Amino acid sequence: MKARVISIHYSLTDTKGKLIDKSSQGNPLVYLEGAGNIIAGLEAEIRQLKTGDKKQITVLAKDAYGNVDSSLVMEVARSQFPADQDIKSGDKFRGGSDAHSPVFEVKSVTDTHVTIDGNHPLAGQDLIFDIEVLETREASEEELSHGHVHGPHGHHH
Ligand code: ZN
C-alpha cells in the first residue's frame, strides 16, 4: 500500500482519564505514514482506518515512549552545577549542547546531591488516544523522499 498523508484530531489521556494533550480545532495533526513521524503503536492502528473513522486506541508504554529506564535516573553531586544556580525539583535542562540531547528533569535536591531523570515524561505510561481521521491522501514523491508532509500544517521549504 502506498504511504498516505493523514490528518487527525486526537485527544490523549492516561489510563486514569487525565487529559495529557489534544489537537486544537482547525489545527489537526498531519503526518506521513511509515516515516516515524508519530509513535509506532498509534501509527500501526491508524493504518487500518479511513477518512471519517473514529477510534479509541490504547498504546502500551513499550509501543509509545518506552518503559522507564532506571539507568537514566542519576544522582549527581551538587557541585556539578554552578554554585549560584537555584536548582529545584521540576527544573528541566538539556544534557548536552545540541537539540537532540536528552532532557533531564530534576527530581530532588539535597545540600550535596541532585537526582535527575532523563526518561521521557510519558515513559512507562500506557496512553489512550481518541482519534478521528479527518482526511487522507496519497503522499507525493517529494514528501516520501523528505520523510515529512508539505503544504498546510506541514513543512514549508
Ligand atoms: Zn520537505
Side-chain angles (χ1 to χ4, degrees), residues 146 148 150 155 157:
H146 287 198
H148 56 230
H150 293 161
H155 283 232
H157 61 162

Side-chain angles (χ1 to χ4, degrees), residues 2-10 23 26-33 38 46-54 131-140 143 149-154:
K2 274 214 148 189
R4 299 177 298 175
V5 170
I6 302 191
S7 303
I8 61 169
H9 270 311
Y10 70 94
S23 56
N27 192 21
L29 173 66
V30 183
Y31 72 95
L32 174 63
E33 265 186 341
I38 64 170
I46 297 176
R47 221 172 242 285
Q48 321 299 326
L49 304 181
K50 58 186 190 313
T51 302
D53 285 351
K54 294 181 182 182
I131 67 134
E132 177 182 1
V133 179
L134 301 174
E135 191 188 346
T136 67
R137 65 169 167 85
E138 223 171 74
S140 70
E143 286 170 324
V149 176
H150 293 161
H153 309 296

Side-chain angles (χ1 to χ4, degrees), residues 69-76 81 85 87-108 114-121:
D69 180 353
S70 59
S71 74
L72 291 174
V73 181
M74 288 173 272
E75 194 174 66
V76 298
F81 295 86
Q85 188 182 342
I87 299 168
K88 55 191 183 313
S89 181
D91 285 356
K92 293 192 171 109
F93 62 92
R94 209 170 272 289
S97 52
D98 79 87
H100 297 290
S101 304
V103 171
F104 287 86
E105 181 175 340
V106 175
K107 289 300 185 185
S108 62
V114 179
T115 303
I116 59 174
D117 184 351
N119 285 288
H120 189 281

